[in-house]
Amino acid sequence: MYIIGLTGGISCGKSAVAETLRRYFGAVTLDIDNVTQWLTEPGGELFELYVRHFGKYVVTREGFLNRRLIGEIIFNHPDERAWINSVAHPILLNHARDFLVDCQATGARLVVLEVPLLFEAGWEHLVDETSAVYTKRNTQIRRLMLRDSLTKQQATTRINAQMSSQELRERADVKIKNLGGYGSIRKQIWAALRGRIF
């Protein structure tokens, strides 16, 4: 079983790379953001921790976490972002390990952990290879503005709160430039994996 740790800045195209790995290379993937979303649903482990820490004002009238408000807190208050990471990462790590155990048991050949904060969380030890996807900064800002209905300043603040694209590329074993098409991504993945996996 070969494990890829896939990371990259917000709105750089991690999901497109993961989809390409699933569709064309038969990878089994886990998106840690999806796990986080599940754990922050009412009754979830992170939901309870967030409400206990921040108070009821982060809960909507319907009883769900106000994700937009949580996002503003995370990206504008480094101390609160550090707290969230300190409580969320150990819980998410356990889920990632369980996923890898299941993959091993089912005979998966290629496995991808899609983790935005792979290096910040220190999860490199879980994987055989790290891959960072990146794109032009202006493209990244535009995508984030459209995806989350943010102003340019809000999008820039969120991008700046994460590890820079340059540092991600320097630390990653494989660099994948997202030019906006699956064909280009597929060629780059094939070039990176040929001879080692296929």
Side-chain angles (χ1 to χ4, degrees):
M1 184 171 79
Y2 196 80
I3 308 168
I4 296 173
L6 176 62
T7 191
I10 189 170
S11 288
C12 277
K14 292 183 296 298
S15 296
V17 174
E19 172 63 21
T20 301
L21 282 159
R22 277 194 304 272
R23 184 184 301 179
Y24 298 102
F25 298 90
V28 181
T29 66
L30 178 70
D31 183 348
I32 286 296
D33 277 348
N34 288 342
V35 178
T36 302
Q37 185 163 347
W38 169 59
L39 291 172
T40 53
E41 293 293 329
E45 194 171 355
L46 289 178
F47 178 92
E48 303 299 335
L49 287 171
Y50 287 8
V51 173
R52 199 178 309 143
H53 179 78
F54 294 114
K56 297 273 189 182
Y57 87 102
V58 298
V59 181
T60 67
R61 193 178 307 172
E62 295 76 23
F64 296 92
L65 273 185
N66 185 331
R67 297 185 188 279
R68 192 175 185 88
L69 178 56
I70 293 289
E72 289 298 314
I73 293 171
I74 290 174
F75 291 107
N76 289 287
H77 301 279
D79 55 335
E80 295 292 12
R81 183 165 66 249
W83 176 83
I84 284 178
N85 288 340
S86 72
V87 298
H89 287 171
I91 295 169
L92 294 169
L93 180 58
N94 286 335
H95 284 274
R97 284 175 170 155
D98 288 344
F99 167 75
L100 294 176
V101 168
D102 290 344
C103 288
Q104 184 75 53
T106 56
R109 187 178 180 193
L110 181 61
V111 175
V112 177
L113 289 179
E114 187 180 340
V115 187
L117 302 181
L118 179 75
F119 295 120
E120 294 92 329
W123 285 16
E124 302 98 311
H125 68 282
L126 291 178
V127 305
D128 298 302
E129 169 183 293
T130 57
S131 293
V133 56
Y134 66 99
T135 191
K136 293 179 181 178
R137 184 175 174 86
N138 288 341
T139 301
Q140 186 182 10
I141 291 171
R142 186 176 69 251
R143 284 177 180 164
L144 186 54
M145 289 172 64
L146 289 171
R147 191 191 75 182
D148 292 351
S149 301
L150 301 175
T151 65
K152 185 174 183 179
Q153 181 57 51
Q154 287 174 320
T156 301
T157 296
R158 296 192 176 200
I159 291 168
N160 290 342
Q162 296 187 326
M163 186 178 290
S164 71
S165 181
Q166 180 179 344
E167 185 175 355
L168 284 170
R169 294 198 303 272
E170 288 172 354
R171 296 183 63 170
D173 301 312
V174 175
K175 294 83 172 162
I176 300 173
K177 186 173 184 179
N178 183 5
L179 300 172
Y182 282 94
S184 172
I185 290 172
R186 189 165 69 248
K187 287 178 183 176
Q188 292 177 76
I189 293 172
W190 173 248
L193 296 181
R194 186 174 51 198
R196 282 183 292 160
I197 309 297
F198 304 101

